[in-house]
Amino acid sequence: MPEPSSLEHVYGLNKWSDAGYSTIDTLYLRPVRWFHRNIVERLRGSSYPYYHRKFGPVKTIDQCEVQDQTCFYESEMTYLREKRIDTMVVEILHDRLTRCIAYEGRIDALDKCAKEKDALFESHANWYQKYGEMGVPHSCVDAYMKQKHLMIWMRRHPEVDLKGWAIERDYEQKTKDYIKSIPMPMEIR
Amino acid sequence: MVLFSKFRPLLQTVFKPTQQIQTIVKRWSSERRMRMMISEFNERKFFDLFHYYFLIGLVPTFCVVFYANVFVGQATLSEIPEDYEPRHWEYYKHPLRRFMAQYVVQPFDERYEISLHAIYTNVMRDQLKALERKVRRLEHARGDNKGWFYRPQVDGLHELEQKKAAERSEGYSAMLAPRELPPPRSWPVAPKTD
């Protein structure tokens, strides 16, 4: 899936879409554009800025003193903010894959959407490794302990493949083989 | 909608109740004729409420929102300039949202700092309470401090008993010295200390 298509309408492909677009054009788009150009842009005041919030550096759990409740609260808020951002990231990548599949079609997406699929798979795996399987509710201390236990386990089991790319590729190949094995005429496939 | 009241004469022509039908009756004209009409109360009530909520609620709200969206416009995202700390409402885009953040709603950072302060004061309060509890516990156990509830009565035997109880709790031993050494003799001659 390359760049998304432009918002202009191409007249001549389909007379029904042309008719529908002409209706919407005259009833809604032209009045709105006229209003915006002639009234809004003339009478609107000066533009003014808004900013994105910046959160300063804060001690994490491992740097906090013992029984320092304020430090715990700050690190917990940072942890929750990071979690929300990472959740949005995974959501956006999922959305990209969905759009790619909708654009290409279910079968062609196996070949053409590989990059989006891999990005989603990786981000989802990382999210699960960082935030998942700790139960609801959980605290930043639980996340820290999970990280520690994972590092210990990885040190004790260096041969284990935790990412799972081999399994994923294997599953993809099996899907393609199954689709190839279905007897269909060549014009449709 | 203001033309609804014009439809009332039509009701009279369409709905001509006969003597058998029972309807709500209301005098309508000055002829020597009793016109039976349906109650107007529900209509008038509905129109009253409609006009009330529309003119006092929707129209001002719509005007305000129209002005904010069309003539003021939404903010544009920009980098924070050097040596400038934006006010807390300058982090929002829509002008009405900015207004609420500026005059109505508690700021985001303030809420955070209030929570931190609450945690800090509660921690301090807990520590002071624990200290008070400890002091009261020790006073009750030792009974040696002249607190406000304590009547000072010197009791040598009680103090001796406390000491012996501590020694007994440590355990009996054959290596212990006797209870008290005898006092040094003073008669006839005090011993030499060289």
Side-chain angles (χ1 to χ4, degrees):
Chain A
M1 189 174 80
E3 298 297 320
S5 57
S6 60
L7 294 169
E8 300 159 0
H9 177 77
V10 179
Y11 281 97
L13 287 174
N14 181 358
K15 63 182 176 185
W16 300 109
S17 62
D18 288 351
Y21 189 80
S22 309
T23 317
I24 291 167
D25 197 35
T26 46
L27 287 178
Y28 180 69
L29 290 171
R30 282 182 191 273
V32 167
R33 280 178 198 147
W34 176 88
F35 184 79
H36 190 76
R37 275 173 207 149
N38 295 86
I39 295 172
V40 173
E41 282 181 3
R42 285 184 196 176
L43 293 175
R44 192 168 266 188
S46 60
S47 71
Y48 54 100
Y50 82 103
Y51 314 105
H52 275 338
R53 220 176 266 275
K54 276 196 171 42
F55 296 102
V58 142
K59 278 189 187 175
T60 50
I61 274 287
D62 53 322
Q63 297 161 354
C64 280
E65 298 290 328
V66 175
Q67 289 176 344
D68 191 359
Q69 296 285 342
T70 50
C71 190
F72 295 166
Y73 181 79
E74 291 196 297
S75 61
E76 219 176 296
M77 288 294 122
T78 313
Y79 168 74
L80 285 173
R81 256 177 254 135
E82 293 289 313
K83 188 171 173 182
R84 283 180 190 176
I85 292 163
D86 292 337
T87 311
M88 280 180 204
V89 165
V90 173
E91 201 178 324
I92 287 163
L93 291 169
H94 197 114
D95 193 44
R96 275 190 204 167
L97 177 64
T98 311
R99 285 170 194 272
C100 183
I101 290 169
Y103 188 80
E104 307 278 347
R106 196 87 183 130
I107 305 291
D108 291 333
L110 293 166
D111 304 319
K112 295 187 182 169
C113 299
K115 287 203 176 63
E116 283 90 352
K117 189 157 172 285
D118 292 346
L120 175 68
F121 180 73
E122 201 172 338
S123 67
H124 191 206
N126 292 333
W127 191 98
Y128 199 77
Q129 194 195 81
K130 195 172 173 188
Y131 301 112
E133 213 171 4
M134 280 187 280
V136 175
H138 68 269
S139 63
C140 44
V141 178
D142 295 327
Y144 183 59
M145 290 299 136
K146 186 182 180 189
Q147 192 186 27
K148 180 192 80 168
H149 295 147
L150 179 72
M151 286 163 88
I152 292 167
W153 196 89
M154 277 161 70
R155 192 169 59 188
R156 288 178 187 171
H157 303 89
E159 72 283 355
V160 174
D161 165 38
L162 283 170
K163 291 286 175 184
W165 286 114
I167 300 163
E168 186 71 15
R169 298 275 173 256
D170 190 39
Y171 179 73
E172 276 171 23
Q173 196 54 46
K174 275 191 186 156
T175 312
K176 285 179 182 161
D177 292 341
Y178 170 68
I179 288 168
K180 282 208 178 87
S181 73
I182 298 168
M184 276 177 86
M186 276 306 293
E187 298 88 28
I188 297 172
R189 192 193 287 285
Chain B
M1 191 213 64
V2 292
L3 300 170
F4 284 173
S5 52
K6 300 264 190 284
F7 297 147
R8 283 206 66 82
L10 289 175
L11 275 170
Q12 190 198 346
T13 56
V14 167
F15 179 61
K16 285 191 185 128
T18 54
Q19 294 291 331
Q20 286 93 17
I21 296 172
Q22 305 279 332
T23 53
I24 297 165
V25 169
K26 190 180 139 204
R27 289 196 183 275
W28 186 75
S29 67
S30 55
E31 299 169 343
R32 283 187 303 154
R33 192 177 287 264
M34 195 157 153
R35 304 274 181 191
M36 285 205 262
M37 299 293 289
I38 303 165
S39 159
E40 283 185 5
F41 175 77
N42 294 336
E43 289 176 32
R44 295 276 85 82
K45 188 77 186 163
F46 174 75
F47 296 143
D48 282 343
L49 290 172
F50 192 92
H51 275 109
Y52 177 74
Y53 286 113
F54 186 74
L55 288 170
I56 294 173
L58 271 179
V59 165
T61 314
F62 180 76
C63 289
V64 166
V65 171
F66 186 79
Y67 179 79
N69 276 299
V70 171
F71 296 114
V72 175
Q74 297 190 359
T76 46
L77 182 60
S78 47
E79 290 289 327
I80 299 172
E82 298 288 331
D83 304 332
Y84 176 67
E85 206 205 322
R87 305 301 302 274
H88 68 273
W89 64 82
E90 285 169 12
Y91 289 109
Y92 297 99
K93 195 168 150 194
H94 191 74
L96 287 175
R97 220 164 157 210
R98 278 169 89 104
F99 178 82
M100 300 291 268
Q102 197 176 354
Y103 294 110
V104 175
V105 178
Q106 199 177 38
F108 182 77
D109 299 327
E110 229 179 74
R111 186 70 247 163
Y112 185 81
E113 298 293 331
I114 285 165
S115 308
L116 282 175
H117 173 75
I119 287 164
Y120 181 74
T121 41
N122 275 297
V123 164
M124 289 293 125
R125 204 184 303 154
D126 292 342
Q127 285 176 355
L128 285 172
K129 277 192 198 164
L131 191 59
E132 283 178 11
R133 271 185 267 129
K134 183 179 175 184
V135 164
R136 245 188 277 137
R137 191 172 20 125
L138 290 172
E139 279 190 355
H140 188 264
R142 294 178 191 168
D144 56 355
N145 186 43
K146 192 172 171 186
W148 63 271
F149 53 84
Y150 176 62
R151 294 176 190 179
Q153 300 281 346
V154 175
D155 193 354
L157 284 172
H158 183 68
E159 282 171 13
L160 185 68
E161 193 185 329
Q162 296 270 342
K163 201 162 65 114
K164 293 298 140 200
E167 285 167 10
R168 259 177 249 134
S169 69
E170 281 162 20
Y172 295 104
S173 165
M175 311 300 291
L176 275 178
R179 207 160 70 171
E180 264 174 13
L181 289 169
R185 63 163 203 280
S186 58
W187 184 87
V189 174
K192 287 191 192 141
T193 56
D194 285 329

